[in-house]
Amino acid sequence: MSAPSTIERATDLPSLAVRNLNKAFGGVQAVRDVSFDLAEGELLALIGPNGAGKSTCFNMLNGQIPADSGSVRLAGEELLGYAPAEIWRRGVGRTFQITATFPSMTVAENVAMVLMSQQRELFSFFRSATHRHRDRAMELLDLVGMTGQADRPCGVLSYGDLKRVELAVALGNTPRVLLMDEPTAGMAPRERLELMGLAARLVGDLGISVLFTEHDMDIVFGHADRIIVLSRGALIAEGNAEQIRNDPLVLKTYLGEGQIYGQAED
Ligand code: ADP
Ligand code: MG
């Protein structure tokens, strides 16, 4: 008897299936029984007030913190329990902070450097390795419209351009799922819109599924295919922009924070 075709079956599965995810820090239940699916090619926003548990969720999905219980399946394969590098290797990408690396290296060198470290070549012969990765770095920079700045030092880039480079790096292993926790944090409103517009186009073109968090509701409502809402560790709503805007529980959750409509001016 032949084995069932996992490739055929995988196409019917959600990219990411999260079930009953839990995490407590001491007495604080940061994430409580969270379950959701991320469909293939979907741009899904995870929103919620500060401290709702969004980053804790992300960090369990990418393996940076262990879950207390639950399941996270990537196209049917369980991810929980694997180290971050292994989860990344299996196709769950995330944005890396370029800002934290080497400001005097050029943009292209920085991207090549991250590609090398992702492929555990950091300690291989440096010059030849950079050279080998330069072509790939240029391809990635081209995706985000940054080839013109490839040979400038990273340290002179605007914050918005740095974020574009981070997005390029995140696409380095052509992930199946991309996790972006506040990708536009610290950016001016217009730069935020541009970055998310770019992310939306790229994931559409490349067929990547994206889970992202974002404070700016204009961006969430403008770009997300679907929105899930976390409050005190638990999911309280799910729907499209129209449904979330009018959800009584969501409105109540955000009312004290005054966050749900337009933060474009901050
Ligand atoms: P969000 O990203 O939605 O703002 P977080 O996931 O960062 O929320 O935090 C959720 C809750 O878990 C908060 O009460 C926060 O104080 C707590 N928390 C997060 N990380 C830790 C940690 N490493 N140790 C202790 N408590 C934490
Ligand atoms: Mg957070």
Side-chain angles (χ1 to χ4, degrees):
M1 205 190 287
S2 66
S5 163
T6 50
I7 291 170
E8 259 173 49
R9 279 189 313 171
T11 57
D12 298 332
L13 294 166
S15 287
L16 211 59
V18 177
R19 294 293 177 272
N20 307 103
L21 204 54
N22 282 286
K23 182 72 191 181
F25 293 109
V28 178
Q29 191 68 39
V31 171
R32 190 188 306 263
D33 247 353
V34 164
S35 300
F36 63 89
D37 284 343
L38 174 64
E40 204 173 310
E42 185 176 39
L43 203 56
L44 177 65
L46 173 62
I47 67 168
N50 277 336
K54 303 180 297 295
S55 294
T56 304
C57 260
F58 270 71
N59 292 336
M60 285 189 282
L61 300 183
N62 68 31
Q64 285 189 302
I65 58 172
D68 292 341
S69 61
S71 162
V72 177
R73 288 174 184 271
L74 176 71
E77 247 186 304
E78 183 63 50
L79 292 181
L80 283 193
Y82 285 113
E86 179 61 19
I87 291 177
W88 175 85
R89 200 190 61 77
R90 284 163 184 260
V92 178
R94 65 184 181 92
T95 39
F96 289 79
Q97 292 237 321
I98 290 283
T99 23
T101 55
F102 303 93
S104 63
M105 285 169 67
T106 69
V107 173
E109 283 168 349
N110 252 296
V111 173
M113 182 83 175
V114 181
L115 293 176
M116 280 189 289
S117 69
Q118 284 175 347
Q119 289 161 34
R120 299 178 194 164
E121 289 180 28
L122 194 55
F123 302 108
S124 68
F125 195 63
F126 188 68
R127 270 196 185 286
S128 72
T130 347
H131 202 258
R132 265 189 291 123
H133 286 282
R134 182 176 165 99
D135 291 349
R136 179 65 180 142
M138 290 305 281
E139 269 174 36
L140 291 170
L141 289 171
D142 190 36
L143 284 178
V144 298
M146 285 290 293
T147 47
Q149 303 203 59
D151 295 319
R152 301 183 73 201
C154 247
V156 306
L157 291 190
S158 74
Y159 193 68
D161 283 345
L162 265 179
K163 290 286 170 184
R164 285 203 284 166
V165 176
E166 287 178 9
L167 178 60
V169 169
L171 298 170
N173 68 330
T174 354
R176 283 194 274 182
V177 168
L178 182 59
L179 305 174
M180 299 198 293
D181 192 5
E182 301 197 30
T184 71
M187 295 174 79
R190 179 157 167 208
E191 282 183 327
R192 290 183 198 172
L193 276 173
E194 283 172 5
L195 185 81
M196 278 316 291
L198 175 66
R201 277 198 307 281
L202 282 174
V203 302
D205 291 350
L206 301 172
I208 298 170
S209 315
V210 177
L211 177 67
F212 74 106
T213 64
E214 173 59 58
H215 281 298
D216 186 328
M217 289 304 143
D218 290 339
I219 291 180
V220 170
F221 291 144
H223 287 295
D225 295 319
R226 196 162 57 95
I227 300 156
I228 54 180
V229 187
L230 206 54
S231 172
R232 297 171 193 229
L235 282 184
I236 58 162
E238 164 187 357
N240 61 26
E242 196 55 30
Q243 291 164 324
I244 294 300
R245 267 200 197 98
N246 298 303
D247 187 292
L249 198 52
V250 175
L251 288 172
K252 198 173 154 213
T253 299
Y254 276 92
L255 215 53
E257 312 245 335
Q259 273 189 338
I260 191 83
Y261 292 111
Q263 269 208 317
E265 302 310 317
D266 71 350

